[in-house]
Amino acid sequence: MSKKSNKIPEPTISRLPVYLSCLYELKNNDVAIVSSEEISTRTGIKASQFRKDMSYFGEFGIQGLGYPITQLLERISNILQVNKLHKAVLVGVGHLGQALARYNGFSKWGFKIEHLYDSDPGKIGTEVNGIVIEDINDMPDSLKASIGIISVPAEHAQKTAHKLIKSGITALLNFSGVQLNTGKEVIVRTVDLSHELAILNYFHLTRQKPKKK
Amino acid sequence: MSKKSNKIPEPTISRLPVYLSCLYELKNNDVAIVSSEEISTRTGIKASQFRKDMSYFGEFGIQGLGYPITQLLERISNILQVNKLHKAVLVGVGHLGQALARYNGFSKWGFKIEHLYDSDPGKIGTEVNGIVIEDINDMPDSLKASIGIISVPAEHAQKTAHKLIKSGITALLNFSGVQLNTGKEVIVRTVDLSHELAILNYFHLTRQKPKKK
């Protein structure tokens, strides 16, 4: 099977943002070419893994020299489509929701949170980072956004997901700590902070050095 | 190679918290035995993947019936050592830091945030969830904790990591959005919320259904 087939393995996709962050940093430092070993030192991902991942995107490496940063940045940016605008709405403006709403790092990746929703009358109408918090019950039937971010407490997560899906959202980033039941047409990525801590703790207790993700 | 060797692959470890959360839920519903198909429906992880993951822990499945939940819960709990107390300190009590400090879900996994540190005089001395925020400059040389959580802005992340390591911390959960330079004896797990959004967005744009993580 050709490695240049369109189907890029999921673990490779999951590493692309790490490479992209690293390449941005190198470019900011006016570096033009980078070796897989340097990428490995900076990201904690094995050099051989990086080379294998890159092989899915065509022959970028220059034998004995390394990878041209501008070209690689452009290629990965295109794959992840970070140069386009991707609109998101966020439901649940608690501390985590506020942290997400205030986070300046999303724009570099093409993401813009356009609407904030909550059910707390004390929050509705107030602003976070220039965005007015709207009543979850006033969510329109058709949201002009592609991504829904769920940062409500666990017990409200499922009905929030249903509401977002009913409003046309088909990609959900789920911080609620519970698995969501959605139709097959909806893509869900669940980030559970307890799980991250549990995985770190395992590697710490067993002293098995994980690949950085 | 025997699948029962002690070396459990990293992707398997990363899925264990997902299984554990699912098993807790089933146990709460008084379910005694679960099929790999049911686990798959609930977690989004393929049934064959679950069975393969379980094979690292010995023969749990009962042919034609499924997996006994209590035994499986106990086994995974022991592997992740969630029944022991794991102390953590958190540096950077912004919105994300506050969300983490207030999160009630950590205790179920054995985690307890014992100290909060910040450099903001307006925050030092105030309480979050019953924990007084201490001055980062007063961090003792020897912290009685195993895990450090870094939720400071990117530009302060590296020096915060150094400070924690100097105080004896050898496991870091890094929310700062930058890669940390640490010695080989330190285990780092980086959670970058932009990356999570970028990965979700890729699968959404390409309509390639990811395995849930």
Side-chain angles (χ1 to χ4, degrees):
Chain A
M1 200 188 81
S2 164
K3 280 194 177 172
K4 287 178 200 160
S5 83
N6 283 328
K7 176 87 176 166
I8 304 166
E10 194 187 322
T12 297
I13 295 298
S14 300
R15 284 185 289 267
L16 292 186
V18 179
Y19 298 144
L20 197 58
S21 288
C22 176
L23 291 167
Y24 276 134
E25 203 182 301
L26 288 162
K27 197 180 159 79
N28 282 343
N29 294 337
D30 291 324
V31 182
I33 290 188
V34 65
S35 66
S36 52
E37 286 75 19
E38 174 69 18
I39 295 274
S40 177
T41 305
R42 285 171 174 261
T43 64
I45 297 164
K46 279 185 188 159
S48 57
Q49 181 69 69
F50 172 73
R51 291 193 297 269
K52 197 178 167 206
D53 286 341
M54 289 308 106
S55 73
Y56 289 104
F57 312 130
E59 296 309 321
F60 269 104
I62 303 166
Q63 190 76 41
L65 265 175
Y67 294 81
I69 287 173
T70 305
Q71 270 173 271
L72 204 51
L73 254 180
E74 196 180 296
R75 190 79 169 94
I76 299 179
S77 297
N78 282 341
I79 291 165
L80 295 176
Q81 301 195 30
V82 301
N83 299 324
K84 292 186 185 158
L85 176 67
H86 308 287
K87 295 180 184 174
V89 301
L90 181 147
V91 184
V93 196
H95 287 287
L96 179 61
Q98 280 207 42
L100 292 163
R102 288 177 199 276
Y103 184 56
N104 292 322
F106 287 143
S107 62
K108 197 174 72 176
W109 296 82
F111 299 111
K112 186 159 184 273
I113 296 178
E114 295 228 309
H115 293 279
L116 300 174
Y117 292 99
D118 206 287
S119 61
D120 178 354
K123 286 179 185 164
I124 294 163
T126 64
E127 275 188 25
V128 176
N129 208 16
I131 315 166
V132 177
I133 301 176
E134 297 166 69
D135 188 336
I136 178 77
N137 295 312
D138 295 341
M139 189 185 284
D141 284 344
S142 174
L143 279 167
K144 285 176 188 63
S146 56
I147 295 169
I149 302 172
I150 297 180
S151 46
V152 300
E155 61 271 28
H156 300 306
Q158 186 60 58
K159 69 172 183 238
T160 301
H162 278 313
K163 210 168 175 68
L164 285 164
I165 293 165
K166 216 179 132 217
S167 296
I169 298 286
T170 50
L172 296 173
L173 190 61
N174 170 27
F175 287 100
S176 71
V178 291
Q179 291 289 330
L180 298 174
N181 260 321
T182 61
K184 280 195 195 306
E185 70 287 359
V186 179
I187 306 230
V188 183
R189 193 163 173 91
T190 297
V191 182
D192 191 314
L193 303 176
S194 302
H195 292 187
E196 298 297 333
L197 211 44
I199 297 164
L200 171 74
N201 195 48
Y202 172 85
F203 289 119
H204 185 237
L205 293 170
T206 59
R207 310 298 309 163
Q208 180 182 338
K209 184 99 178 164
K211 283 170 265 182
K212 285 180 199 168
K213 53 157 259 177
Chain B
M1 200 187 80
S2 164
K3 279 193 175 170
K4 287 178 203 161
S5 82
N6 283 328
K7 176 88 175 164
I8 304 167
E10 193 188 325
T12 297
I13 295 298
S14 300
R15 284 185 289 267
L16 291 186
V18 180
Y19 298 144
L20 197 58
S21 288
C22 177
L23 291 166
Y24 275 135
E25 204 182 303
L26 287 163
K27 197 181 160 76
N28 282 343
N29 295 336
D30 292 323
V31 182
I33 289 189
V34 65
S35 67
S36 52
E37 286 74 20
E38 175 69 18
I39 294 275
S40 176
T41 305
R42 286 172 173 260
T43 63
I45 297 164
K46 279 186 189 158
S48 57
Q49 181 69 68
F50 172 74
R51 290 193 299 268
K52 197 179 167 203
D53 287 341
M54 289 309 105
S55 73
Y56 290 104
F57 312 130
E59 294 311 319
F60 269 103
I62 304 166
Q63 189 78 39
L65 265 175
Y67 294 80
I69 288 174
T70 305
Q71 270 175 271
L72 205 51
L73 254 179
E74 198 180 295
R75 188 80 169 95
I76 299 181
S77 296
N78 282 341
I79 292 165
L80 295 178
Q81 301 194 29
V82 301
N83 299 324
K84 292 187 185 159
L85 176 67
H86 308 287
K87 296 180 183 174
V89 302
L90 181 147
V91 184
V93 196
H95 287 285
L96 179 61
Q98 280 208 41
L100 293 163
R102 287 177 198 276
Y103 184 56
N104 292 322
F106 286 144
S107 61
K108 197 174 70 176
W109 297 83
F111 299 111
K112 186 159 185 273
I113 297 178
E114 294 228 310
H115 293 279
L116 300 174
Y117 292 100
D118 205 288
S119 61
D120 178 355
K123 286 180 185 164
I124 294 163
T126 64
E127 276 188 24
V128 177
N129 208 16
I131 315 166
V132 177
I133 301 176
E134 297 166 68
D135 188 337
I136 177 78
N137 295 312
D138 295 340
M139 189 184 284
D141 283 346
S142 175
L143 278 168
K144 285 175 189 64
S146 56
I147 295 169
I149 301 172
I150 298 180
S151 47
V152 300
E155 62 271 28
H156 300 307
Q158 187 60 58
K159 69 171 182 240
T160 301
H162 278 314
K163 209 167 176 69
L164 284 164
I165 293 165
K166 216 179 132 217
S167 296
I169 298 285
T170 49
L172 295 172
L173 191 61
N174 170 27
F175 287 99
S176 71
V178 292
Q179 291 290 330
L180 298 173
N181 260 320
T182 60
K184 279 194 196 302
E185 70 288 358
V186 179
I187 305 229
V188 183
R189 192 160 174 93
T190 297
V191 182
D192 190 314
L193 303 176
S194 301
H195 292 188
E196 299 297 333
L197 211 44
I199 296 164
L200 171 74
N201 195 48
Y202 172 84
F203 289 118
H204 185 238
L205 293 169
T206 59
R207 308 300 307 166
Q208 182 183 336
K209 184 95 179 167
K211 281 169 270 182
K212 284 181 199 166
K213 53 156 256 176

